[in-house]
């Protein structure tokens, strides 16, 4: 998707460079407001360029002021007395980087700039810093997509961030959407920002689109404010380094695949406002060790925790009514689950292939479900829903009265030796006995549905007459946790029937050391928490007071020239926010350098030397010349040399500007006889004359 986007962007960029192909060098920062004083007014509904329209001069020559301006600038369109940035242009080509810093103007011909339009800034791919004025309320689709910004602070005035607004910004490392800022963030707004590490979503955000942080591979920490009520579809899908999540207390829904494949996520605490965990919400969170579910949770969606391999304990709170299909499938570390009284609906294979799951217990007051020695059934025991794969039993007698063995009920239970099916069973659903190894399907009769099923599905059938009254006791212990009671079961080693059980009291929490949950920033408090050393459950929190801004070094935002003042700013050393700014004075014009090359000249001949002088525009200066040996070469005030004798001499040029600055250079001049002069000297004794 990213490559396709960049291909389209490159094509558009080529078209842009045709319009703006003027060399630009040395541009470091850019402040745009001054560019909009070139015209007196704008017309609503018409796009205005600050440099005027194309025209032909009196001699018939075509002119494009926008192209000829040689100054980076914005194009805006005024609609209903508000300005929209439609395109940012800079007079560079593909080898000329865009400005390092861009400050978007707050007004356009007196109209407030309220909107940054679609794709308008996406061509300044080398820009690393953006200042968005407080006049802006809306950032439209793909406005900044693919540019090189490294940090982003969205001002409080912005209430809407459109789809893909900052997608593919690979250098972006942190995002702070302030407490009173944007209320709506569109789909894929920060999708595939590969180096984004930290995100703070303020209390003002009330709507978060789909896939907002999709595939942000470096994202490690997320803080979600109290304004948000739902975490949408695939919001953090494939954020593989995400390890710290603070969810606001008003979130009610964890959407479909919201945290899917967040491989580094270890501990999650859902606020009590959460009522629904959607389809595959935490699918593939392989390192998730614990999750504290909301006390107001009602729905655990289909495949919500599939492949959460490290999840050892789950407390399903009273109030949950629905557990979807395969909700906890492949949770290999899960050992015990208790279904509360409130549950009214359980889907297929809720605990399929949980390698360590030894027991599924059901509250005795549940009107819809029950358990048989750790095996999950409906209340009247006509449907067997799930056998715990981690059970140590080698034999299990399905209770008489069961008519249906549910979908994937014994899937992967390859430790079994005998599964006793009663005469009451008349239906075995798809996948019920897949991957059960060499286990025998048993029945007390040759003429039974069990035998018919076994033969049709390539299973080994045997007739067995095990007596349920001749048990071989075996003890199975489910340890107590901090908050949940454990259980000691005595079961029959042969048939798996429960002989007796004993409750083991909960241990209670043991507080650990303080750990930082949310880092404090210059303006926002952080938080530290204490968790139980045994189960990791939250116990206590305290704020970490914000540090305040720390003034850093002054940096040049706009360099001064000999004709215009510059701008320097002091930024916070921690967060890079601009704390104060000042003008820098106009540079004093001066002479910088002079250079000239040596020469060779015939005796009695003359030449003129032309030194190369580098000075600032507009500065006045004088030039003088001198010879080290006038008997060889003499020089006048204009640099005219006359050879007066054979030999060498050094010529010195001195340049002095009106402010007293002096630069000099020297060159060597050699005077020689030419051939006919040598004849005069040697043959005709011209030395008397020479």
């Amino acid at each position: 998707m990213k490559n396709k986007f960049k291909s389209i962007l490159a094509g558009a960029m080529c078209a842009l460079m045709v319009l703006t192909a003027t060399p630009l060098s040395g541009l470091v920062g850019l402040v745009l407001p001054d560019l909009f004083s070139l015209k007196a007014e704008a017309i609503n509904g018409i796009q205005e360029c600050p440099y005027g329209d194309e025209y032909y001069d009196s001699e018939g020559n075509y002119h494009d002021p926008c192209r000829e301006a040689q100054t980076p600038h914005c194009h805006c369109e005024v609609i209903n007395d508000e300005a929209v940035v439609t395109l940012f242009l800079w007079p560079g080509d593909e080898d000329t980087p865009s400005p390092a810093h861009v400050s978007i103007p707050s007004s356009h011909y007196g109209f407030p700039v309220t909107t940054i339009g679609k794709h308008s800034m996406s061509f300044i791919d080398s820009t690393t810093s953006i200042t968005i004025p407080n006049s802006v309320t809306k950032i439209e689709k793909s406005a900044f997509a693919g540019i090189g910004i490294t940090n982003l602070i969205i001002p409080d005035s912005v209430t809407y961030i459109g789809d893909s607004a900052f997608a593919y910004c690979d250098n972006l490392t942190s995002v702070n959407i302030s407490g009173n800022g944007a209320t709506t963030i569109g789909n894929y707004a920060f999708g595939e920002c590969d180096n984004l590490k930290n995100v703070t979503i303020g209390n003002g955000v009330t709507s978060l689109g789909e896939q907002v942080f999709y595939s942000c591979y470096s994202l490690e920490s997320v803080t979600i404010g109290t304004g948000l009520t739902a975490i949408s579809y695939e919001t953090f899908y494939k954020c593989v380094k995400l390890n710290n999540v603070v969810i606001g207390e008003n979130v009610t829904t964890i959407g479909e695949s919201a945290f899917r494949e967040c491989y580094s996520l270890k501990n999650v605490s859902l606020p009590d406002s959460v009522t629904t965990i959607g389809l595959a919400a935490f699918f593939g969170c392989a390192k998730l060790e614990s999750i504290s579910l909301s006390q107001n949770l009602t729905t655990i969606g289909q495949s919500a925790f599939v492949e959460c391999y490290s999840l050892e304990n789950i407390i399903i709170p009273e109030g949950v009514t629905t557990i979807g299909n395969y909700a906890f499938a492949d949770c290999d570390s899960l050992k015990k689950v208790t279904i509360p009284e409130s549950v009214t609906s359980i889907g297929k294979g809720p605990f399929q292939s949980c390698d360590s799951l030894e027991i599924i217990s059901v509250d005795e007051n549940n009107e819809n479900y029950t358990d048989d020695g750790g095996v999950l059934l409906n209340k009247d025991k006509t449907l067997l829903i799930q056998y715990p794969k981690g059970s140590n039993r080698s034999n299990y007698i399905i209770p008489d009265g069961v008519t249906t063995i549910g979908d994937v009920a014994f899937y992967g239970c390859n430790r079994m030796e005998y599964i006793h099916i009663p005469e009451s069973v008349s239906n075995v659903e798809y996948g019920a006995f897949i991957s059960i190894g060499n286990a025998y399907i048993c029945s007390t009769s040759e003429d039974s549905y069990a035998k018919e099923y076994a033969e049709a599905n390539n299973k080994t059938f045997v007739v067995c007459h095990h007596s349920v009254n001749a048990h071989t006791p075996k003890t199975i212990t489910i340890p107590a946790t901090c908050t949940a009671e454990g259980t000691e079961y005595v079961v029959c080693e042969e048939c798996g029937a429960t002989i007796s059980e004993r409750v083991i009291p909960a241990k209670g929490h043991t507080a650990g050391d303080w750990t930082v949950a949310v880092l404090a920033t210059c303006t926002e408090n952080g938080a530290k928490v204490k968790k139980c050393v045994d189960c990791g459950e939250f116990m206590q929190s305290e704020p970490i007071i914000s540090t305040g801004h720390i003034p850093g070094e002054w940096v040049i935002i706009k360099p001064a020239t000999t004709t215009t003042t510059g701008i320097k700013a002091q930024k916070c050393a921690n967060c890079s926010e601009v704390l104060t700014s000042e003008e820098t004075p106009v540079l004093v014009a001066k002479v910088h350098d002079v250079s000239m090359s040596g020469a060779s000249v015939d005796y009695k001949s003359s030449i003129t030397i032309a030194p190369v002088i580098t000075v600032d525009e507009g500065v006045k200066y004088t030039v003088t010349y001198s010879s080290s040996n006038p008997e060889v070469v003499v020089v006048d005030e204009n640099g005219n040399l006359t050879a007066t004798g054979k030999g060498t001499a050094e010529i010195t040029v001195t340049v002095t500007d009106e402010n007293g600055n002096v630069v000099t250079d020297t060159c060597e001049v050699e005077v020689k006889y030419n051939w006919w002069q040598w004849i005069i000297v040697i043959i005709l004794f011209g030395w008397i004359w020479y």
Side-chain angles (χ1 to χ4, degrees):
M1 182 183 293
K2 185 184 297 187
N3 291 336
K4 182 178 180 182
F5 172 84
K6 290 190 173 180
S7 297
I8 296 172
L9 188 61
M13 212 167 184
C14 291
L16 176 64
M17 289 188 289
V18 173
L19 297 175
T20 60
T22 304
L24 181 66
S25 62
L27 186 57
V28 174
L30 181 66
V31 181
L32 297 175
D34 291 345
L35 300 177
F36 298 101
S37 60
L38 302 176
K39 295 182 109 179
E41 62 182 22
I43 301 172
N44 277 338
I46 297 179
Q47 182 172 319
E48 295 284 335
C49 173
Y51 294 98
D53 298 328
E54 303 159 348
Y55 67 93
Y56 290 90
D57 62 20
S58 59
E59 297 180 357
N61 297 316
Y62 171 78
H63 292 275
D64 182 352
C66 179
R67 180 180 177 184
E68 297 168 1
Q70 297 195 22
T71 304
H73 59 278
C74 281
H75 284 196
C76 287
E77 183 175 0
V78 179
I79 302 173
N80 297 328
D81 295 330
E82 293 182 351
V84 177
V85 176
T86 58
L87 187 63
F88 176 89
L89 292 177
W90 82 100
D93 55 29
E94 61 183 357
D95 297 321
T96 306
S98 58
H101 175 81
V102 168
S103 291
I104 297 170
S106 59
S107 64
H108 175 71
Y109 305 125
F111 296 104
V113 174
T114 62
T115 302
I116 302 173
K118 297 178 181 178
H119 307 283
S120 59
M121 309 296 288
S122 59
F123 301 111
I124 52 173
D125 56 349
S126 299
T127 296
T128 59
S129 175
I130 296 283
T131 298
I132 301 173
N134 289 329
S135 61
V136 173
T137 61
K138 187 176 184 180
I139 299 173
E140 291 190 337
K141 179 179 181 180
S142 301
F144 295 91
I147 72 171
I149 52 174
T150 57
N151 295 283
L152 180 64
I153 299 177
I154 305 293
D156 287 354
S157 58
V158 175
T159 60
Y160 175 83
I161 299 175
D163 294 353
S164 303
F166 297 92
Y168 316 116
C169 291
D170 289 345
N171 295 328
L172 187 61
T173 59
S174 67
V175 172
N176 187 340
I177 303 173
S178 56
N180 299 314
T183 58
T184 300
I185 301 176
N187 299 338
Y188 217 75
F190 298 92
E192 296 189 66
C193 291
D194 289 348
N195 288 295
L196 183 61
K197 290 186 177 181
N198 301 293
V199 172
T200 299
I201 300 174
N203 296 336
V205 178
T206 59
S207 177
L208 202 62
E210 297 178 353
Q211 299 181 314
V212 172
F213 298 100
Y214 179 92
S215 287
C216 291
Y217 296 128
S218 300
L219 186 60
E220 296 177 354
S221 177
V222 172
T223 300
I224 297 172
T226 57
L228 200 65
T229 59
I231 299 176
S232 303
Y233 171 73
E234 292 188 351
T235 299
F236 300 103
Y237 185 19
K238 291 188 178 180
C239 293
V240 295
K241 292 186 179 179
L242 183 62
N243 57 56
N244 181 51
V245 177
V246 178
I247 300 174
E249 61 185 16
N250 290 317
V251 170
T252 61
T253 302
I254 309 297
E256 180 179 340
S257 298
F259 293 95
R260 185 166 183 166
E261 295 183 24
C262 291
Y263 299 129
S264 300
L265 199 59
K266 289 187 177 182
N267 301 290
V268 176
S269 180
L270 301 182
D272 283 343
S273 54
V274 173
T275 60
T276 301
I277 298 175
L279 171 68
F282 294 92
F283 191 119
C285 293
K287 294 184 179 179
L288 185 64
E289 295 175 354
S290 68
I291 181 165
S292 177
L293 300 180
S294 162
Q295 295 305 303
N296 292 306
L297 187 66
T298 61
T299 302
I300 300 174
Q302 178 174 325
S303 304
F305 295 95
V306 170
E307 295 181 8
C308 290
Y309 299 126
S310 302
L311 188 62
E312 295 184 4
N313 181 51
I314 188 74
I315 299 175
I316 301 174
E318 185 65 41
V320 170
T321 59
T322 302
I323 300 174
N325 296 342
Y326 318 111
F328 296 92
D330 293 302
C331 290
D332 289 347
S333 299
L334 199 59
K335 294 182 178 180
K336 177 184 177 180
V337 175
T338 299
I339 308 296
E341 177 184 352
S342 56
V343 173
T344 59
S345 175
I346 299 177
K348 298 176 181 179
F351 305 102
Q352 173 194 327
S353 296
C354 293
D355 288 351
S356 302
L357 186 61
E358 297 176 351
I359 188 166
I360 306 168
S361 64
V362 180
D363 188 290
E364 62 182 11
N365 295 315
N366 189 296
E367 296 181 356
N368 298 277
Y369 299 97
T370 188
D371 67 86
D372 174 63
V375 180
L376 179 62
L377 301 99
N378 65 349
K379 190 66 174 181
D380 61 6
K381 294 188 176 182
T382 58
L383 171 64
L384 190 151
I385 301 168
Q386 189 80 71
Y387 182 90
K389 182 181 177 182
S391 172
N392 291 322
R393 290 174 295 201
S394 58
N395 300 317
Y396 176 63
I397 299 176
I398 296 174
D400 194 21
V402 170
T403 60
T404 299
I405 300 173
D407 191 357
V408 299
F410 289 87
Y411 184 98
C413 295
N414 51 18
R415 302 174 190 172
M416 302 286 290
E417 294 182 12
Y418 296 93
I419 302 173
H420 303 260
I421 300 179
E423 295 292 320
S424 56
V425 171
S426 59
N427 179 37
V428 176
E429 293 184 346
Y430 174 78
F433 294 105
I434 288 178
S435 299
I436 61 170
N438 297 318
Y440 294 103
I441 300 296
C442 304
S443 176
T444 58
S445 172
E446 287 278 1
D447 185 18
S448 65
Y449 176 81
K451 181 178 181 181
E452 178 183 333
Y453 171 83
E455 291 176 349
N457 291 275
N458 198 29
K459 304 295 181 185
T460 304
F461 174 79
V462 295
V463 176
C464 58
H465 303 283
H466 176 70
S467 171
V468 297
N469 297 316
H471 293 303
T472 303
K474 178 181 178 180
T475 301
I476 298 175
T477 302
I478 306 299
T481 67
C482 298
T483 57
E485 297 173 338
T487 308
E488 181 183 270
Y489 290 92
V490 178
V491 300
C492 175
E493 189 172 15
E494 296 297 325
C495 68
T498 301
I499 301 171
S500 66
E501 62 181 81
R502 178 181 68 87
V503 173
I504 303 173
K507 299 186 299 182
H509 292 302
T510 301
D513 295 330
W514 288 105
T515 59
V516 175
V518 182
L519 292 173
T521 67
C522 297
T523 57
E524 298 285 340
N525 288 345
K528 60 181 181 179
V529 298
K530 278 188 176 181
K531 297 182 179 180
C532 174
V533 296
D534 292 325
C535 69
E537 185 171 335
F538 167 82
M539 295 184 65
Q540 184 182 358
S541 68
E542 286 186 6
I544 301 174
I545 305 303
S546 59
T547 59
H549 291 302
I550 299 175
E553 296 181 357
W554 288 87
V555 295
I556 298 299
I557 301 299
K558 176 186 175 184
T561 68
T562 57
T563 57
T564 62
T565 59
I567 297 175
K568 66 178 182 178
Q570 188 179 40
K571 297 183 178 182
C572 174
N574 287 337
C575 69
S576 299
E577 182 175 336
V578 174
L579 305 180
T580 184
S581 62
E582 294 179 3
E583 280 192 348
T584 56
V586 173
L587 300 178
V588 176
K590 67 177 183 179
V591 60
H592 292 280
D593 188 35
V594 61
S595 64
M596 59 183 180
S597 302
S600 177
V601 60
D602 292 342
Y603 173 60
K604 288 187 178 294
S605 298
S606 297
I607 61 171
T608 300
I609 59 174
V612 178
I613 303 172
T614 305
V615 297
D616 289 328
E617 182 180 358
V619 70
K620 296 179 180 179
Y621 60 91
T622 60
V623 183
T624 61
Y625 303 88
S626 65
S627 171
S628 65
N629 190 351
E631 294 182 357
V632 175
V633 175
V634 294
V635 58
D636 65 15
E637 68 275 10
N638 296 316
N640 298 316
L641 304 177
T642 301
T644 57
K646 184 176 179 295
T648 60
E650 281 192 347
I651 303 300
T652 300
V653 60
T654 302
V655 182
T656 306
D657 67 25
E658 58 187 330
N659 297 309
N661 299 302
V662 178
V663 294
T664 64
D665 193 23
T666 62
C667 69
E668 185 176 87
V669 176
E670 181 183 10
V671 178
K672 301 182 295 185
Y673 294 150
N674 61 28
W675 65 271
W676 58 266
Q677 289 174 330
W678 278 111
I679 293 174
I680 292 174
V681 171
I682 297 171
I683 300 177
L684 302 178
F685 304 100
W687 56 271
I688 299 174
W689 174 67
Y690 275 79

